[in-house]
Amino acid sequence: MRTIDLRSDTVTRPTAGMREAMARAEVGDDVYGEDPTINRLEEAAAERLGKESALFAASGTMANLVAILTHGGRGDEMILGDRAHTFLYEGGGSAGLAGIHAHTLPNLPDGTLELEAIEEAIREEDVHLPRTRLITLENTHNRCGGRALRPEYGDAVLEIARAHGISVHLDGARLFNASAALSVPPARLARSADSVMFCLSKGLGAPVGSLLCGTAEFVRRARRMRKLVGGGMRQAGILAAAGLYALEHHVERLKEDHRNARRLAEGIASIPGLVLGAEGDLGRPPETNLVYFRVDGEALGDPSLDAAALSQRLRARGVLANPLGQKRDQMRMVTHLDVSREDIEETLVALRSSLEET
Ligand SMILES: Cc1ncc(COP(=O)(O)O)c(C=O)c1O
């Protein structure tokens, strides 16, 4: 049975063209700065984001950690959303490895933080208090339904940060999705942050890698931090070649994933007992490639039918999707390079038949 894998956009496999580019990559020792393909990727990434420089890292988690290590020191504080990936899903690395205290604020349903709340959260100079060093935003916002943060919002946060002499880091794991959804160049979205991380291994379809972009001075210091966390790689140009290929071939097509997500969402919205939208934002159609919905077992006449049970039924029909949330009543489906329009229609058939099962 063929599988339709909607668990994440990280599940894509390199295409034939990408594999060929990887096989042909010129390589060298990147710790010596001698890998020409990595150098090219870092230049291309910096250029796309309108930053002076970029650093290739093994993962989004590593690039976020390296950014945090570069911006702050032990006992400093970082303001971020309570649904931020960096807060929820990166193993507590900001505290455990960087010694940075997380000051969370509630994420609004659109993935933003209230500007007034940010302003109030910034500590005054006092020997008792941690020093606020960093504000971290996320665009698109994963747990807030893949919402794309508007450039004007980023500008407003940067203005607050500048007024207090602190920095802004952007977790842009899916920055190119935000750019496609808003029809705004990625550099415009990156402009309002001092450092920006984006992933090659999600919607862009590369097997590995993320880039951390910022000023030349920031990236020089970040390079030391990457080494410190064991992220200095050697002939990794083979991986960078996949990234270059992704930037060339897989950016324009992201809109197709967004169209597929919208079609999937329409279908879900028409199924009684499934409620489209992320937690706190029910009913809203997706802006990008992440489709969240709630499974309402009561409405389906079977209170034991939660998202975990539904995901088991779907798996038996060749469709993979992740249940989530404390109450296990939410589900996420993600469209990507390896999911076609036909797959979306098949998924809707599988969803309907799973719910008819008694
Ligand atoms: C918003 C966001 N940031 C960071 C990451 C971490 O990326 P990685 O899985 O490459 O460590 C993810 C992964 O899904 C993510 O969704």
Side-chain angles (χ1 to χ4, degrees):
M1 183 170 45
R2 207 173 65 83
T3 299
I4 302 170
D5 195 342
L6 300 165
R7 288 171 301 169
S8 176
D9 45 10
T10 58
V11 300
T12 56
R13 306 223 166 91
T15 60
M18 184 179 275
R19 284 173 190 267
E20 209 182 301
M22 294 171 80
R24 279 191 281 107
E26 263 187 88
V27 296
D29 190 325
D30 182 50
V31 174
Y32 290 105
E34 290 172 2
D35 189 304
T37 312
I38 292 196
N39 293 342
R40 270 206 296 133
L41 173 64
E42 290 179 343
E43 280 163 26
E47 195 186 317
R48 291 241 184 181
L49 264 64
K51 299 290 186 200
E52 283 175 8
S53 199
L55 179 72
F56 184 56
S59 66
T61 302
M62 180 185 278
N64 279 336
L65 175 65
V66 165
I68 292 166
L69 280 162
T70 310
H71 282 296
R74 299 188 70 79
D76 287 344
E77 192 169 67
M78 163 174 70
I79 295 172
L80 79 175
D82 60 356
R83 288 204 242 168
H85 194 278
T86 301
F87 180 59
L88 292 177
Y89 302 121
E90 294 177 14
S94 67
L97 301 170
I100 305 257
H101 192 43
H103 185 155
T104 57
L105 299 176
N107 270 118
L108 300 181
D110 65 358
T112 62
L113 306 173
E114 222 173 68
L115 294 173
E116 264 176 32
I118 295 179
E119 188 96 51
E120 275 172 26
I122 297 172
R123 311 280 183 183
E124 58 193 60
E125 185 59 43
D126 181 320
V127 72
H128 297 89
L129 305 176
R131 288 182 304 180
T132 310
R133 270 294 156 84
L134 187 62
I135 302 168
T136 293
L137 298 177
E138 186 174 313
N139 199 8
T140 63
H141 202 292
N142 183 343
R143 279 306 300 272
C144 292
R147 298 285 297 271
L149 273 60
R150 279 32 184 185
E152 300 75 27
Y153 175 75
D155 294 347
V157 173
L158 185 68
E159 202 181 311
I160 296 174
R162 286 287 176 270
H164 293 272
I166 59 184
S167 304
V168 177
H169 172 65
L170 180 61
D171 173 350
R174 296 182 181 80
L175 190 73
F176 284 84
N177 292 87
S179 155
L182 299 170
S183 298
V184 163
R188 174 65 186 93
L189 299 171
R191 196 168 86 192
S192 47
D194 297 287
S195 59
V196 183
M197 179 285 276
F198 75 88
C199 291
L200 298 163
S201 57
K202 307 217 156 54
L204 297 181
V208 177
S210 295
L211 285 127
L212 178 60
C213 310
T215 63
E217 166 59 14
F218 175 85
V219 170
R220 193 187 56 73
R221 289 190 290 120
R223 205 170 282 280
R224 281 189 76 83
M225 294 302 166
R226 185 187 65 174
K227 193 77 181 87
L228 181 124
V229 298
M233 294 187 280
R234 304 294 176 172
Q235 287 74 24
I238 288 174
L239 304 173
L244 278 166
Y245 185 92
L247 283 177
E248 247 169 66
H249 296 90
H250 296 164
V251 172
E252 291 306 316
R253 60 157 307 287
L254 288 173
K255 286 195 161 114
E256 192 181 320
D257 295 340
H258 298 177
R259 281 193 293 275
N260 282 341
R262 279 198 298 275
R263 168 67 197 124
L264 178 62
E266 273 166 27
I268 289 169
S270 73
I271 301 175
L274 301 185
V275 189
L276 185 67
E279 218 172 350
D281 202 17
L282 296 177
R284 173 179 283 278
E287 287 180 1
T288 59
N289 66 329
L290 309 181
V291 181
Y292 282 82
F293 59 96
R294 192 158 71 81
V295 183
D296 186 346
E298 303 271 350
L300 288 159
D302 177 2
S304 71
L305 181 59
D306 60 5
L310 178 59
S311 100
Q312 286 306 320
R313 293 183 187 184
L314 285 169
R315 179 177 282 269
R317 290 165 172 79
V319 176
L320 305 184
N322 280 335
L324 42 92
Q326 294 289 11
K327 289 188 253 152
R328 285 279 178 249
D329 63 345
Q330 282 195 77
M331 220 151 165
R332 190 184 76 165
M333 290 183 166
V334 185
T335 59
H336 52 74
L337 191 59
D338 293 348
V339 174
S340 64
R341 176 52 72 104
E342 293 71 49
D343 292 337
I344 298 296
E345 300 306 330
E346 275 185 44
T347 298
L348 290 169
V349 170
L351 263 172
R352 287 194 193 95
S353 80
S354 296
L355 293 172
E356 277 158 17
E357 204 180 287
T358 48

